[in-house]
Amino acid sequence: MKLHAIQTGSVRIKTAQVEGQGRGWRRRLRIFADRQWTDWLPAYAWVIDHREGVIVVDTGQGAHLLETAASLHPYQRWEVKFRIERDEEIGPQLRALGVGPRDVKRVVLTHLHIDHDGGLAHFPHSDVLVSPGELRTARGWMGRARGYLPHRWPSWFDPLPLDLAPDAFGPFATSRRVTSAGDVIAVGTPGHTADHLSVLVEDEGITYVLAGDTSYDERLMLAGRLDGVSVDDDAAGATLRAIRRLARDRPTVYLPTHDPESAERLSHSRLVEATRDSGVVQVFRPAPQ
Ligand SMILES: [Zn+2]
């Protein structure tokens, strides 16, 4: 099995979106008052070259969405900046890896924000798997009001429901296998959106967490800091705790979508513990015997 990181352009967001201030609706409102922008952050999509067929996790941004920016949701017009060229979309980058559109058997979406579903148009022949709850949240006029762009989905978009069972996988309460081999597993990681999920890939004793937007980087996950947009403080906090527990219990590589270090962390299989300074490592190591 081989995992690839594909950077589909970059985003800039408010610092109060990356690291939330306060709780609940106040935390979400702070973003609008914040005048400070982050640097350009990557928007990664992931390719799992699996013997059961290629699986793509998230599809990244789409240049076509920006070409008609005037009709984007006000949040995307004013609170987020996107940058992507057509040849940076996931389709051309997959072809450069030797992966054609018909080679991709499944596409799993962690959630339906536009920097994750913007490349869907490249996968008309694949099974697209989405959490039914996320789909309900994103579709229709209510979805548009929440900042999703359901009217920009490809006309053929009719995803298969990725129903997570109340079947715990490690510290995660809900899960579902994506491969017959059981080495690619979707797990519920609610918080950033109510039905956000992450994809775990188990390979040679290491668990790779394709984490979507559970946090914007590893430091924030370890510190248990919520982002600015999470819909549910308690769920988001519990998700970050579950990821820390996973990293304590097994060798884990944490790969959030917008972490500038994700690609390098993947290429070196750099574990969560290995990147911590000594003070923090102690917190997550099992107690000595
Ligand atoms: Zn998101």
Side-chain angles (χ1 to χ4, degrees), residues 160-214:
L160 299 170
L162 182 50
D163 274 311
L164 301 181
D167 187 9
F169 185 91
F172 302 99
T174 57
S175 70
R176 195 177 120 186
R177 291 172 167 209
V178 176
T179 54
S180 308
D183 50 3
V184 179
I185 309 107
V187 294
T189 49
H192 179 76
T193 67
D195 295 279
H196 186 283
L197 57 84
S198 299
V199 176
L200 309 184
V201 181
E202 298 201 295
D203 191 35
E204 297 184 2
I206 294 177
T207 302
Y208 297 85
V209 184
L210 308 181
D213 290 351
T214 48

Side-chain angles (χ1 to χ4, degrees), residues 227-240:
D227 70 20
V229 293
S230 282
V231 290
D232 182 328
D233 293 66
D234 294 337
T239 284
L240 297 181

Side-chain angles (χ1 to χ4, degrees), residues 94-116:
L94 277 175
R95 281 195 288 284
L97 283 174
V99 178
R102 288 183 188 277
D103 299 328
V104 177
K105 199 169 173 194
R106 265 162 276 173
V107 174
V108 181
L109 297 175
T110 59
H111 62 304
L112 291 168
H113 284 163
I114 68 164
D115 46 339
H116 299 257

Side-chain angles (χ1 to χ4, degrees), residues 3 5 23 70 92 156 168 170 181 188 195 197 217 238 240 260 263 285 288:
L3 253 171
R23 282 183 66 83
W156 50 259
D195 295 279
L197 57 84
D217 62 37
L240 297 181
R285 273 193 189 140

Side-chain angles (χ1 to χ4, degrees), residues 70-264:
S71 59
L72 290 175
H73 184 275
Y75 191 87
Q76 273 113 29
R77 280 170 73 182
W78 307 115
E79 306 302 327
V80 188
K81 294 176 182 173
F82 303 97
R83 190 168 68 185
I84 181 166
E85 303 293 333
R86 281 204 175 257
D87 60 3
E88 293 176 308
E89 289 189 9
I90 189 167
Q93 295 208 62
L94 277 175
R95 281 195 288 284
L97 283 174
V99 178
R102 288 183 188 277
D103 299 328
V104 177
K105 199 169 173 194
R106 265 162 276 173
V107 174
V108 181
L109 297 175
T110 59
H111 62 304
L112 291 168
H113 284 163
I114 68 164
D115 46 339
H116 299 257
D117 73 0
L120 272 173
H122 296 287
F123 302 99
H125 309 294
S126 311
D127 286 342
V128 182
L129 302 172
V130 177
S131 151
E134 179 73 12
L135 187 64
R136 275 194 300 277
T137 305
R139 70 169 23 144
W141 286 100
M142 281 304 290
R144 290 176 70 164
R146 293 184 183 110
Y148 293 89
L149 299 181
H151 50 304
R152 303 300 184 81
W153 290 335
S155 56
W156 50 259
F157 183 59
D158 183 20
L160 299 170
L162 182 50
D163 274 311
L164 301 181
D167 187 9
F169 185 91
F172 302 99
T174 57
S175 70
R176 195 177 120 186
R177 291 172 167 209
V178 176
T179 54
S180 308
D183 50 3
V184 179
I185 309 107
V187 294
T189 49
H192 179 76
T193 67
D195 295 279
H196 186 283
L197 57 84
S198 299
V199 176
L200 309 184
V201 181
E202 298 201 295
D203 191 35
E204 297 184 2
I206 294 177
T207 302
Y208 297 85
V209 184
L210 308 181
D213 290 351
T214 48
S215 72
Y216 286 96
D217 62 37
E218 185 172 285
R219 180 187 67 81
L220 292 164
M221 178 274 288
L222 287 168
R225 301 287 305 174
L226 307 194
D227 70 20
V229 293
S230 282
V231 290
D232 182 328
D233 293 66
D234 294 337
T239 284
L240 297 181
R241 277 196 298 281
I243 295 167
R244 290 200 298 274
R245 212 168 305 138
L246 181 82
R248 186 194 60 199
D249 294 345
R250 55 179 89 188
T252 298
V253 177
Y254 181 59
L255 301 170
T257 300
H258 300 294
D259 189 335
E261 292 176 20
S262 278
E264 207 193 315

